[in-house]
Amino acid sequence: MKVIAFKRELQGSGASRRLRTSGQTPGIVYGGVEAPVLISLDHNALYHALKKEVFHSSILDLEIDGVSQQVLLRDFQVHAYKQLVLHADFQRVDASQPIHVKVALHFANADVSPAVKLHGATISHVANEIEVACLPGQLPEFITVDLSNIDVGHSLHVADLVLPAGVTAVTHGNNLTIATASVPAGHVAAEAEAAAEADKK
């Protein structure tokens, strides 16, 4: 994705407020061997880009005054109740240096799993993203979680995920739970009642 930005010279809360009033969002680009650069971005374009999952987990082409560089979105602040992006932070990336990024999880095949198909279970998504390490060129837009084999009472963990080539999960020693399958309490009670009725006959 391409992001257009412009260098800004003025800083401070007053300058930032004037920028926002004029439809711009202040930001910063840092990292690598170059010094941090203060930038401004078109607010509406940034606001709509932030709604896209890919914007948060992709290498972005940030063009500042006509010169492009590869960056990651590292942080952003939004107003507590207004539809207003207050600030955005971007980090330069080096194609030869590994990066750590949080990537969204996309859950698939729950409807064909034994848990749902045979037992009417509910599959709970415990995590919606995981942190990964990889080279910038290997960064996936998302990671698919295959639920086709999950059964009642079982869980899927980070170690169960099939990750793309060159991508490793950053777990800090914890095999985190990704999804669990359980039968709703009411459903269990109904099944027990039906079994009891069958026993009486």
Side-chain angles (χ1 to χ4, degrees):
M1 289 184 73
K2 190 168 189 175
V3 183
I4 306 294
F6 304 92
K7 280 186 183 175
R8 61 184 172 99
E9 303 301 330
L10 300 175
Q11 50 185 308
S13 57
S16 294
R17 196 162 47 247
R18 285 192 293 275
L19 262 183
R20 295 183 192 110
T21 302
S22 67
Q24 299 286 306
T25 298
I28 189 170
V29 186
Y30 62 87
V33 294
E34 297 176 53
V37 175
L38 298 174
I39 58 171
S40 64
L41 308 100
D42 179 78
H43 176 270
N44 288 344
L46 179 62
Y47 179 79
H48 290 296
L50 285 168
K51 291 184 174 182
K52 298 175 182 174
E53 183 180 271
V54 64
F55 190 71
H56 297 260
S57 59
S58 293
I59 304 299
L60 308 170
D61 284 318
L62 179 67
E63 183 183 301
I64 304 175
D65 296 340
V67 179
S68 286
Q69 54 191 299
Q70 292 198 314
V71 300
L72 277 170
L73 174 69
R74 277 307 190 190
D75 196 14
F76 63 96
Q77 291 85 44
V78 294
H79 195 278
Y81 54 88
K82 294 180 186 176
Q83 293 185 327
L84 185 66
V85 185
L86 300 175
H87 197 273
D89 296 9
F90 297 90
Q91 182 184 3
R92 301 182 186 99
V93 297
D94 180 335
S96 65
Q97 296 296 317
I99 52 174
H100 284 208
V101 186
K102 286 185 176 176
V103 175
L105 299 174
H106 284 194
F107 296 85
N109 303 321
D111 54 335
V112 300
S113 69
V116 173
K117 207 169 181 182
L118 303 179
H119 306 290
T122 299
I123 295 179
S124 302
H125 302 166
V126 180
N128 292 310
E129 61 182 15
I130 63 165
E131 188 176 352
V132 301
C134 62
L135 290 173
Q138 296 171 318
L139 180 63
E141 185 179 324
F142 58 85
I143 292 168
T144 300
V145 181
D146 184 5
L147 298 169
S148 59
N149 294 317
I150 195 170
D151 207 343
V152 172
H154 292 186
S155 300
L156 272 178
H157 298 85
V158 170
D160 302 317
L161 298 178
V162 178
L163 300 174
V167 178
T168 56
V170 180
T171 61
H172 306 291
N174 300 315
N175 190 18
L176 303 172
T177 302
I178 299 298
T180 60
S182 56
V183 178
H187 192 79
V188 173
E191 279 191 351
E193 200 173 302
E197 287 297 321
D199 286 343
K200 288 178 185 176
K201 292 176 182 175

